[in-house]
Amino acid sequence: MSSTRAPFALVTAFTSSPFGGNPAAVVFLDSTSLPLDYVGEIAKNLNQPMMSLVSNTPLPSEDDKILVRSIRFFASNGKEVPICGHATLATARVLFSSPEVQASGAHTIHFKNGTGATLTAVKLDDGFIEIELPSTVPGDVSADELARLKTFIDKAFGRDVVIKNVKTGGKVYEPYVLIELDKSEDLAGSTIDAKQLIGNGYVVNVLTTASPDSDATFVLRMFAPSMIGGTGEDPVCGSAHGLLVPYWYSKLGIAPGQEVKSKQVSSRGGNLRVVWKKEEGRIKLQGQTVILATGELQL
């Protein structure tokens, strides 16, 4: 295999700190140039919560102010996943910061992912970047299913936990489960053994409560121990909001189109501004980003 050089960047998303939010590796490499299992090995070596693989060259666009690129996502275990919010935000930051894109005056990027869906990123005047992701209609679970899942949650917390509601990710986020806990459970301060969630039938476990503070509407933590190494916790999860936003807007009677704030209460922490576009079946996530490092892979 001939040597290939691929520019890359390390970016933290949904934060103004290089040591907060959720890190992602952004690699510029045409997905057809290397086998996907080889790309998975690159993701393992970079060892970030997520790696985005972005096409070097733009795809055709009908508007010179809208950039179109292909994108794919790989977790730190080398497995491809269909969608990732924080890696989309990180990739948009790198592209918007490039001299080529700045010179073009492009303000919007359409990312075409591996399933054919379009993920949109827009550069805002206040330095935030806004991305759009699909929303879902969260699915109900039976009383028996709730009781079954509670056994996993109680083991993960090491105590009897008060669960207020459980929803599935519906058709859009099928591997996801949303679990609302009572606010008294102190989600931010709890020690959670994510390995105890393995085998519960879901890949992505989104734990949430109403916010105990006035600086956010709801808080969350996300665990995917079969996909994420170490503690199994994702520092900030954008795609989880595809469930959370319609869930909390409906529960609290928030009008679609109204902006609210979400806070991920992991150890690194993350802050998001969110909007539910109910009729379009989309959510808007707005966040800050920091480029920590840039370089070149030699493959």
Side-chain angles (χ1 to χ4, degrees), residues 15-79:
T15 182
S16 59
S17 166
F19 310 115
N22 204 350
V26 180
V27 177
F28 291 89
L29 186 66
D30 291 325
S31 61
T32 56
S33 62
L34 292 172
L36 286 184
D37 59 347
Y38 190 87
V39 176
E41 293 301 315
I42 298 172
K44 289 180 183 179
N45 266 4
L46 291 172
N47 196 31
Q48 299 298 296
M50 194 64 67
M51 180 187 83
S52 64
L53 185 69
V54 193
S55 59
N56 273 313
T57 54
L59 300 175
S61 175
E62 297 179 355
D63 187 330
D64 61 3
K65 301 304 180 186
I66 298 178
L67 183 67
V68 183
R69 294 281 183 117
S70 67
I71 193 168
R72 304 182 83 152
F73 304 103
F74 294 82
S76 58
N77 65 356
K79 301 296 184 183

Side-chain angles (χ1 to χ4, degrees), residues 92 159 206 253 281:
R159 65 174 189 268
V206 183

Side-chain angles (χ1 to χ4, degrees), residues 3-276:
S3 177
T4 301
R5 295 177 181 272
F8 80 96
L10 300 181
V11 184
T12 57
F14 297 116
T15 182
S16 59
S17 166
F19 310 115
N22 204 350
V26 180
V27 177
F28 291 89
L29 186 66
D30 291 325
S31 61
T32 56
S33 62
L34 292 172
L36 286 184
D37 59 347
Y38 190 87
V39 176
E41 293 301 315
I42 298 172
K44 289 180 183 179
N45 266 4
L46 291 172
N47 196 31
Q48 299 298 296
M50 194 64 67
M51 180 187 83
S52 64
L53 185 69
V54 193
S55 59
N56 273 313
T57 54
L59 300 175
S61 175
E62 297 179 355
D63 187 330
D64 61 3
K65 301 304 180 186
I66 298 178
L67 183 67
V68 183
R69 294 281 183 117
S70 67
I71 193 168
R72 304 182 83 152
F73 304 103
F74 294 82
S76 58
N77 65 356
K79 301 296 184 183
E80 185 174 9
V81 298
I83 192 169
C84 178
H86 90 271
T88 301
L89 195 80
T91 305
R93 169 60 193 275
V94 176
L95 285 169
F96 282 134
S97 299
S98 71
E100 177 186 358
V101 174
Q102 288 183 343
S104 73
H107 51 69
T108 300
I109 305 172
H110 289 170
F111 293 107
K112 305 289 186 179
N113 74 357
T115 66
T118 298
L119 311 176
T120 301
V122 178
K123 184 178 181 180
L124 303 180
D125 292 337
D126 61 0
F128 280 64
I129 294 173
E130 177 182 275
I131 62 174
E132 281 196 18
L133 301 177
S135 65
T136 190
V137 178
D140 296 324
V141 302
S142 66
D144 288 344
E145 175 68 355
L146 192 155
R148 185 187 72 84
L149 287 170
K150 180 171 166 44
T151 63
F152 288 90
I153 296 297
D154 287 351
K155 288 179 181 178
F157 277 77
R159 65 174 189 268
D160 183 23
V161 176
V162 179
I163 296 177
K164 299 192 72 174
N165 206 351
V166 174
K167 295 285 187 177
T168 68
K171 294 181 179 179
V172 181
Y173 296 95
E174 190 174 352
Y176 290 54
V177 63
L178 181 158
I179 301 169
E180 183 196 353
L181 307 178
D182 189 80
K183 193 191 305 186
S184 64
E185 293 297 343
D186 184 20
L187 187 57
S190 295
T191 299
I192 299 170
D193 180 4
K195 290 183 175 60
Q196 299 299 327
L197 300 173
I198 294 175
N200 72 353
Y202 299 93
V203 176
V204 178
N205 301 269
V206 183
L207 308 181
T208 185
T209 73
S211 177
D213 304 310
S214 60
D215 59 349
T217 299
F218 60 88
V219 301
L220 71 140
R221 292 174 71 179
M222 189 280 257
F223 298 88
S226 64
M227 294 290 291
I228 301 171
T231 64
E233 182 168 12
D234 195 30
V236 188
C237 183
S239 64
H241 289 77
L243 291 74
L244 287 162
V245 170
Y247 176 76
W248 282 109
Y249 271 65
S250 299
K251 180 181 177 70
L252 300 178
I254 302 169
Q258 181 179 336
E259 181 183 291
V260 302
K261 293 181 180 179
S262 160
K263 178 184 284 189
Q264 190 122 359
V265 290
S266 63
S267 60
R268 290 179 65 98
N271 298 286
L272 300 84
R273 304 187 311 212
V274 304
V275 177
W276 186 25

